[in-house]
Amino acid sequence: MKAFFELHRDINNAINCFESTNNACNPHFHSNIEILYLMEGSIEVTINGEKRTLPPGGASVAGSFDIHSYRTPSFSRCIILIIPTDMLDGFNVMARFADFSTSFLEPGARDQDMANAMERLVEFSGCRDSMIAKGYVYVVLGILAEQLGISEAARSGSDFIIRDILVYLEQHYLEDLTIETLAKRYGYHKDYLSRLFNASIGCGFSHYLNILRSRHAAMLLRNTHQNLEEIAYQSGFNSTRTFYRAFQGFYGMTPTVYRRMEVPENDADRELTQVGNL
């Protein structure tokens, strides 16, 4: 499964809760916890390769760095809650060392309690320090813990290695990086690290690095008048040919066509949902 590290979720250290109609999002992951509660219609949710079609009153929870995606077959109206793991000390511990026993909640006796808490949290979206907002977050987490159960996290050491590498790449993708330099930094043989990266992310190291650089190039295309050659080199590409090929593979269009489109600034969510090659 190819997935994208949604870094802006990790940078925005605040509760994020919003209603969404006909939600669709390509596979992505972040360190925060993401909960979806379906109010109307139906929606397909895939978490770490397991797919379920939720009915009204159903919910899903994607834990820290779980790969998740959404697809609406016809119509859906839901609330999505994103919780920074370091906002709540108790849950931060659970997020690292424990998981919910399942990622999917069937409709049940706690439907109204869950709906009420999620609807109130929409009002507090963007808050960092509100005790009321934290209280409603605990209500949601409490319902999930009660209904889904808690089990020890079955995460291996390689999971945490990949997390560290993904964060490092987000911070250094404009530099001259290779799988060899990355392997040396983390003390692994390049062949082992290459296999581990591919198995965990669903694509090769070079391909993923070009995705990050293409995303940076898209920002420059939206916000500057630099020519394409300048943008290519400022985005970390060593040639315009590599830039064109990588950009078109990720966005499904050439940089020139992309520049002519009206794309909102800093619209990372739109990029995630519109691209076709994740």
Side-chain angles (χ1 to χ4, degrees), residues 232-245:
Y233 288 106
Q234 288 189 23
S235 301
F237 292 100
N238 56 17
S239 72
T240 53
R241 181 181 179 183
T242 303
F243 166 50
Y244 271 69
R245 185 170 60 248

Side-chain angles (χ1 to χ4, degrees), residues 139-155:
V139 169
V140 171
L141 295 176
I143 292 171
L144 290 173
E146 175 187 274
Q147 299 296 309
L148 301 181
I150 299 295
S151 62
E152 290 187 7
R155 300 183 189 273

Side-chain angles (χ1 to χ4, degrees), residues 243-257:
F243 166 50
Y244 271 69
R245 185 170 60 248
F247 192 94
Q248 186 159 6
F250 183 52
Y251 284 97
M253 66 188 76
T254 66
T256 302
V257 172

Side-chain angles (χ1 to χ4, degrees), residues 164-184:
D164 289 344
I165 289 174
L166 291 173
V167 173
Y168 181 81
L169 290 178
E170 282 284 351
Q171 296 170 343
H172 299 277
Y173 63 87
L174 295 179
E175 302 172 11
D176 185 17
L177 292 177
T178 65
I179 192 66
E180 288 82 5
T181 57
L182 201 65
K184 184 177 180 180

Side-chain angles (χ1 to χ4, degrees), residues 33 83-100 134 137-138 141-142 145 150:
I33 285 76
I83 310 167
T85 54
D86 58 0
M87 176 173 286
L88 303 169
D89 293 338
F91 191 63
N92 189 32
V93 173
M94 191 190 84
R96 185 173 178 85
F97 297 108
D99 283 325
F100 293 110
K134 289 181 181 180
V137 167
Y138 272 120
L141 295 176
I150 299 295

Side-chain angles (χ1 to χ4, degrees), residues 6-115:
E6 199 175 19
L7 181 67
H8 76 287
R9 294 294 187 201
D10 290 12
I11 294 174
N12 181 19
N13 187 29
I15 294 171
N16 189 10
C17 192
F18 55 93
E19 289 194 21
S20 178
T21 300
N22 297 335
N23 190 283
C25 192
N26 281 321
H28 64 287
F29 51 100
H30 38 71
S31 68
N32 299 336
I33 285 76
E34 184 165 328
I35 298 166
L36 181 148
Y37 179 79
L38 186 66
M39 296 183 289
E40 294 182 70
S42 66
I43 189 168
E44 286 184 2
V45 180
T46 303
I47 300 177
N48 293 333
E50 184 179 359
K51 182 188 294 185
R52 294 281 185 88
T53 299
L54 296 182
S60 67
V61 53
S64 185
F65 286 87
D66 285 343
I67 297 174
H68 53 287
S69 62
Y70 307 125
R71 190 182 80 86
T72 297
S74 56
F75 170 76
S76 69
R77 187 169 71 90
C78 63
I79 298 178
I80 294 177
L81 169 64
I82 298 170
I83 310 167
T85 54
D86 58 0
M87 176 173 286
L88 303 169
D89 293 338
F91 191 63
N92 189 32
V93 173
M94 191 190 84
R96 185 173 178 85
F97 297 108
D99 283 325
F100 293 110
S101 296
T102 176
S103 299
F104 302 97
L105 177 67
E106 295 296 327
R110 293 289 194 173
D111 286 2
Q112 194 58 53
D113 293 335
M114 175 73 87

